[in-house]
Amino acid sequence: MFRRTQTTADDSPASAPDPKPAGKGRPTPKRRDAEGRRRQPVTAPKDRKEAYRQLRERQAKERVRAREGMMRGEERYLPARDQGPVRKFARDWVDSRRLVSQYFLPFMVVVLLITWIPFPDQDFRTAVNIAVVTIGWPVMMVGVVLASVWVAWRVKKLAAEKFPGENVRGVGFYAAMRGLQIRKLRFPPPTLLPGGRPVPPKK
C-alpha cells in the first residue's frame, strides 16, 4: 500500500545562535598603530640651536643618572676596573675590616702638622722631629707595606677559591690600593661597615 514517508530532518532542536560575537568583538589593532600610541610625542627642534639645547639637556640628565647609579654601586654605571663579582668581593673584604694601611694618609697629615708647629722650645721641637722622622715614619711605612702585601695576597687567594671560573688578575693590587684610601673617600662607596654589617641607607 502506501509507504510511510521517512523523515530526513534532524529531530534534535536547532541550536540557537550565540548572541555574543566570537573574539573581542572588535578588529585587532595593527602592530604599528599600537606602537604609535605607546610612543610619547617628541617635539622636533625648530633650528640647530634648539636641537643643541635638547641634546645638552639629555646629556646632563644621563650624567646625573650615571653618577647616582655609581654612588649606589650599580654595576652597569661603574667603570670597567670596578665591574665584576671579583672586584665587588675585593671591595667588600677591604671595607669590612680596619686595616693599618688605611691610616697612612692621616698619619702623613699629622706628621706635616707636627713639623709645622712652632714649638717655643727649640730642643723640644728637635726631639719631636727626630722621634717622628726616625721612629714614627719608618714604623708606619713598614706597617703599611706589610699590610698591603698581606691584603693583596689574602684577597687574591680568597677570590680564586670563591670564583674559580673568573679572572683574578690584578685583584690583589686593586684591594691593596683600596686599603690605602681613607674610608670616606673610597669609590665606589663602601656597602659594608667594619665588622661586615651593611651600611644603613641614607635618609
Side-chain angles (χ1 to χ4, degrees):
M1 301 294 296
F2 297 99
R3 295 181 182 179
R4 181 180 299 177
T5 305
Q6 297 181 358
T7 59
T8 58
D10 189 2
D11 293 336
S12 61
S15 57
D18 190 0
K20 189 175 182 180
K24 295 179 292 186
R26 52 185 170 84
T28 303
K30 295 182 180 180
R31 181 177 180 181
R32 61 183 180 182
D33 296 336
E35 292 179 353
R37 285 195 296 267
R38 286 196 298 265
R39 294 174 184 168
Q40 297 180 353
V42 179
T43 304
K46 299 178 181 179
D47 49 22
R48 182 177 297 180
K49 184 177 180 180
E50 179 68 16
Y52 182 64
R53 186 186 64 80
Q54 293 181 7
L55 176 62
R56 285 187 302 174
E57 290 180 354
R58 289 195 299 268
Q59 291 176 344
K61 291 180 181 179
E62 287 295 329
R63 286 194 296 267
V64 171
R65 189 180 299 110
R67 178 165 181 79
E68 291 176 351
M70 285 191 294
M71 297 304 294
R72 290 192 299 267
E74 295 184 16
E75 184 78 9
R76 61 175 178 168
Y77 293 113
L78 296 178
R81 65 181 179 86
D82 297 315
Q83 293 181 358
V86 176
R87 299 302 173 98
K88 178 68 166 58
F89 169 78
R91 293 196 300 272
D92 290 344
W93 192 95
V94 172
D95 296 337
S96 62
R97 289 163 175 79
R98 297 186 186 276
L99 305 172
V100 176
S101 55
Q102 74 184 67
Y103 301 105
F104 175 65
L105 293 178
F107 179 77
M108 290 181 59
V109 174
V110 171
V111 168
L112 290 175
L113 291 177
I114 291 176
T115 57
W116 288 346
I117 294 177
F119 293 104
D121 189 347
Q122 185 66 27
D123 294 337
F124 181 75
R125 179 177 182 179
T126 302
V128 170
N129 291 339
I130 292 176
V132 170
V133 174
T134 61
I135 299 176
W137 185 259
V139 170
M140 188 64 187
M141 288 298 297
V142 172
V144 168
V145 171
L146 293 179
S148 298
V149 172
W150 180 76
V151 167
W153 171 80
R154 184 64 175 167
V155 170
K156 187 173 183 179
K157 181 176 183 295
L158 293 175
E161 294 175 355
K162 188 176 180 64
F163 306 97
E166 298 287 340
N167 182 14
V168 297
R169 183 179 180 182
V171 67
F173 181 79
Y174 177 80
M177 291 298 100
R178 187 173 180 86
L180 286 172
Q181 300 172 1
I182 300 174
R183 182 177 181 84
K184 291 185 178 181
L185 301 180
R186 291 174 182 173
F187 183 84
T191 58
L192 296 178
L193 296 172
R197 293 180 293 109
V199 175
K202 295 182 180 180
K203 296 181 180 180

